[in-house]
């Protein structure tokens, strides 16, 4: 192979440099910096509780007397803790007693009392009963002591139990008490068993459950910063006062089905999402048709949907369904497909939106009937003029509306165009805006319709931002 002079010259330079490095034997210093180490120390903690009595466990009921009884709770805690005393009273009103000072009742839980014990407080022993005693009324007679057969009553018991649990991260004593029986797991079978036993669950790692499990019993799940994926092929039906509470983590609703409904709330049902980052895959949350007295609370959460809705009501029969309350606070609800609406309200219920953001590509919010308040929030429609024309969505500007979001395009739609065969809800619609913004890409901020003898009322909205449509005895009222 022929080697050019140019290549020879370059090779010679490389050899020379190598020779200098070898002969010189020198070292090369790099510019560098280094910090001193910082050591973080983590202190372990504990919460322990004990319950003891010195006065024994056997007592004689003697009317008009008092007996010493001194159950005492002792707490050993290096962090602040809630301490609970549970009292099971099976004394058939034969034994009188009072709870010692400092104990307070737990709301909604009979015969359970609590106190908050600081880690640094000196006193850690507490009497349960006032004056460490029980009393027997002087009005008790022989017949009070006997059963229907004339025999002395048996199994007259007064039972105490103490529980202590760390105060953080619970918001109050009710949350702490509810968590005391939690099952900590990520195993699907254990989660299912806990749900069927009506026990709260705390996730210890990411987990997967089938929608049928939640459908049978509802659930109270602390996601604990983990991800819960709900699969399956059936909607979760919250009926017969069934409830689901999910908080503090990531939720993937992936139970795709023919109805495109992930969670359906029925009569007496309730749904709470608190501090949840949620994705719904081709399913939505629906307050189902004919539902009364249901509640939905979405708090401090972000929900992203690939369905036509994030949350909707279903008024298949416009004569049924009422008293539904939906609260959306400090949350973001966004749908990501073109033909979409973030929230649809079409039953005579109450919708409260506060410090939140709703966003969709057709309508951000529809209030076909009922009362909606939007406070310190933004509602956005991403529909452009071209998108509206291409999809023929402007058809509903001057024609009868259909079901769902087959209504005019706007950031917010209020009221209903119903007559001559169109879907007509026999109710008024009211929207109250307080320090809120309605954002559009098509200059359609609010579309209000009053038809068929009903009124759409707008409070706190500039009439210049409203497209109005009325007919058949209906009316639009605007209070700027």
């Amino acid at each position: 192979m022929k080697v050019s002079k140019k290549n020879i010259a370059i090779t010679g330079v490389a050899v020379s440099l190598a020779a200098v490095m070898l002969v010189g034997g020198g070292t090369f210093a790099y510019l560098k910096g280094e910090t001193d180490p910082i050591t973080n120390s983590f202190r372990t903690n504990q919460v322990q509780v004990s319950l003891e009595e010195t006065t024994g466990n056997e007592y004689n009921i003697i009317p008009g007397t008092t007996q010493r009884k001194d159950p005492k709770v002792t707490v050993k805690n290096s962090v602040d803790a809630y301490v609970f005393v549970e009292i099971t009273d099976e004394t058939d009103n034969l034994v009188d007693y009072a709870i010692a000072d400092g104990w307070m009742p737990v709301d909604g839980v009979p015969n359970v009392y609590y106190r908050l014990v600081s880690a640094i407080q000196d006193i850690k022993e507490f009497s349960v009963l006032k004056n460490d005693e029980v009393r027997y009324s002087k009005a008790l007679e022989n017949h009070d002591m006997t059963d229907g057969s004339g025999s002395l009553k048996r199994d007259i018991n007064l039972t105490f139990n103490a529980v202590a649990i760390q105060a953080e991260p619970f918001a109050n004593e009710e949350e702490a008490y509810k968590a005391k029986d939690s099952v900590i797991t990520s195993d699907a079978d254990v989660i299912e068993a806990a749900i069927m036993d009506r026990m709260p669950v705390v996730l210890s790692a990411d987990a997967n459950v089938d929608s049928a499990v939640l459908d049978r019993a509802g659930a109270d799940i602390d996601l604990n910063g983990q991800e819960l994926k709900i699969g399956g092929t059936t909607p979760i039906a919250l009926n017969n006062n069934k409830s689901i509470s999910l908080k503090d983590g990531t939720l993937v609703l992936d139970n795709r089905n023919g109805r495109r409904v992930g969670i359906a709330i029925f009569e007496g049902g309730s749904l709470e999402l608190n501090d949840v980052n949620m994705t719904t895959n081709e399913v939505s949350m629906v307050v189902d048709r004919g539902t009364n007295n249901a509640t939905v609370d979405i708090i401090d959460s972000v929900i992203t949907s690939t369905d036509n809705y994030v949350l909707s009501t279903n008024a298949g029969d416009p004569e049924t369904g009422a008293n539904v309350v939906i609260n959306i606070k400090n949350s973001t609800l966004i749908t990501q497909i073109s033909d979409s609406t973030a929230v649809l309200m079409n039953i005579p219920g109450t919708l409260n939106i506060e410090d939140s953001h709703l966003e969709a590509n057709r309508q951000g919010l529809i209030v076909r009937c009922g009362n909606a308040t939007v406070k310190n929030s933004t509602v956005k429609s991403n529909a452009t003029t071209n998108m509206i024309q291409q999809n023929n969505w402007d058809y509903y500007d001057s024609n009868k509306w259909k079901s769902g979001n087959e209504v005019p395009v706007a950031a917010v739609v209020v009221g209903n165009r119903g007559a001559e065969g169109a879907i007509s809800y026999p109710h008024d619609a009211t929207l109250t805006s307080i320090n809120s913004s309605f954002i559009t890409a098509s200059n359609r901020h609010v579309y209000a319709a009053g038809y068929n003898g009903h009124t759409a009322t707008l409070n706190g909205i500039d009439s210049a931002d409203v497209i109005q449509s009325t007919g058949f005895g209906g009316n639009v009222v605007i209070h700027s």
Side-chain angles (χ1 to χ4, degrees):
M1 181 179 69
K2 185 177 180 179
V3 181
S4 69
K5 292 181 179 180
K6 181 178 180 181
N7 287 339
I8 292 173
I10 293 173
T11 302
V13 172
V15 171
S16 299
L17 289 173
V20 170
M21 293 174 67
L22 290 171
V23 172
T27 59
F28 293 86
Y30 295 96
L31 299 176
K32 63 179 182 179
E34 185 174 352
T35 71
D36 294 329
I38 297 177
T39 301
N40 294 279
S41 297
F42 296 87
R43 188 180 68 183
T44 56
N45 289 287
Q46 65 178 0
V47 174
Q48 296 180 332
V49 64
S50 61
L51 177 65
E52 296 180 350
E53 289 187 67
T54 65
T55 51
N57 303 110
E58 299 291 336
Y59 298 86
N60 288 316
I61 299 176
I62 302 175
T65 66
T66 298
Q67 285 186 306
R68 291 279 298 169
K69 183 170 181 60
D70 66 346
K72 285 185 171 59
V73 174
T74 301
V75 187
K76 182 179 180 182
N77 59 313
S78 57
V79 293
D80 295 351
Y82 287 110
V83 182
F84 300 92
V85 171
E86 303 166 329
I87 301 176
T88 304
D89 188 339
E90 300 171 311
T91 63
D92 200 21
N93 297 317
L94 297 176
V95 181
D96 294 330
Y97 57 89
I99 304 301
D101 293 342
W103 296 99
M104 295 168 286
V106 177
D107 287 344
V109 187
N111 298 320
V112 177
Y113 301 86
Y114 82 96
R115 67 197 310 144
L116 180 61
V117 180
S118 168
I120 61 173
Q121 73 184 62
D122 296 330
I123 300 174
K124 298 292 184 77
E125 183 181 77
F126 310 97
S127 292
V128 176
L129 299 180
K130 188 172 184 177
N131 299 325
D132 292 327
E133 66 182 21
V134 293
R135 303 178 302 277
Y136 312 112
S137 171
K138 63 178 65 176
L140 292 177
E141 300 181 6
N142 283 333
H143 67 83
D144 296 310
M145 306 286 186
T146 58
D147 58 23
S149 66
S151 300
L152 288 174
K153 293 178 179 178
R154 303 182 64 180
D155 298 322
I156 303 299
N157 298 318
L158 186 62
T159 305
F160 302 90
N161 186 52
V163 178
I165 187 169
Q166 66 192 58
E168 291 188 45
F170 304 107
N172 51 50
E173 71 282 353
E174 294 176 59
E175 284 194 9
Y177 186 72
K178 186 168 66 174
K180 73 182 181 64
D181 294 321
S182 296
V183 176
I184 303 174
T185 185
S186 62
D187 183 274
D189 292 336
V190 178
I191 292 173
E192 179 176 359
I195 288 173
M196 296 307 297
D197 289 337
R198 307 296 178 122
M199 298 182 69
V201 175
V202 178
L203 292 189
S204 58
D206 293 350
N208 296 270
V209 297
D210 193 283
S211 57
V213 174
L214 301 176
D215 185 61
R216 288 195 292 270
D220 183 346
I221 302 178
D222 184 345
L223 303 173
N224 193 31
Q226 311 298 324
E227 178 183 285
L228 177 66
K229 185 175 183 180
I230 300 175
T233 57
T234 59
I236 301 167
L238 302 182
N239 49 24
N240 299 321
N241 297 316
K242 192 187 305 178
S243 67
I244 285 182
S245 175
L246 301 164
K247 64 180 180 181
D248 188 24
T250 300
L251 179 66
V252 178
L253 199 58
D254 198 32
N255 54 329
R256 283 170 272 194
N257 54 79
R259 284 196 62 194
R260 298 180 67 94
V261 174
I263 301 175
I265 302 97
F266 289 88
E267 186 82 14
S270 65
L271 171 66
E272 179 187 11
L273 302 175
N274 195 328
D275 195 16
V276 171
N277 191 333
M278 177 177 177
T279 301
T280 67
N281 292 328
E282 299 181 17
V283 291
S284 62
M285 297 175 290
V286 174
V287 178
D288 225 307
R289 66 188 65 189
T291 294
N292 294 277
N293 303 315
T295 58
V296 177
D297 292 309
I298 301 175
I299 303 167
D300 297 332
S301 295
V302 176
I303 304 176
T304 305
S305 173
T306 59
D307 188 67
N308 299 95
Y309 305 96
V310 177
L311 173 64
S312 69
T313 56
N314 186 340
D317 178 358
E319 298 290 340
T320 63
N323 301 321
V324 171
V325 177
I326 298 174
N327 298 305
I328 301 172
K329 185 174 182 179
N330 195 34
S331 295
T332 298
L333 281 64
I334 298 176
T335 56
Q336 295 182 323
I337 63 175
S338 61
D339 185 5
S340 59
T341 302
V343 175
L344 164 63
M345 184 77 168
N346 60 351
I347 56 177
T350 301
L351 172 63
N352 299 307
I353 301 171
E354 184 175 353
D355 298 317
S356 295
H357 176 77
L358 309 184
E359 182 175 341
N361 287 328
R362 191 162 173 177
Q363 301 97 356
L365 169 64
I366 300 175
V367 184
R368 295 187 77 163
C369 59
N371 294 283
T373 300
V374 183
K375 182 178 180 180
N376 300 328
S377 299
T378 58
V379 181
K380 184 179 181 182
S381 166
N382 292 320
T384 64
T385 301
N386 287 338
M387 187 184 299
I388 295 170
Q389 293 173 349
Q390 290 170 3
N391 290 281
N392 199 29
W393 288 339
D394 53 357
Y395 171 83
Y396 300 105
D397 290 353
S398 55
N399 288 282
K400 293 177 290 186
W401 298 2
K402 295 184 180 179
S403 61
N405 65 351
E406 297 298 325
V407 304
V409 175
V412 182
V413 177
V414 183
N416 194 62
R417 183 185 178 98
E420 299 179 345
I423 291 179
S424 177
Y425 303 110
H427 309 284
D428 296 336
T430 300
L431 173 70
T432 299
S433 173
I434 304 172
N435 298 324
S436 294
S437 300
F438 305 136
I439 304 168
T440 71
S442 60
N443 199 33
R444 290 167 169 254
H445 301 282
V446 179
Y447 195 108
Y451 278 79
N452 209 29
H454 295 289
T455 300
T457 302
L458 308 179
N459 299 312
I461 298 172
D462 193 327
S463 59
D465 293 328
V466 182
I467 300 172
Q468 301 183 47
S469 179
T470 58
F472 302 100
N475 193 22
V476 172
V477 176
I478 302 175
H479 303 289
S480 299

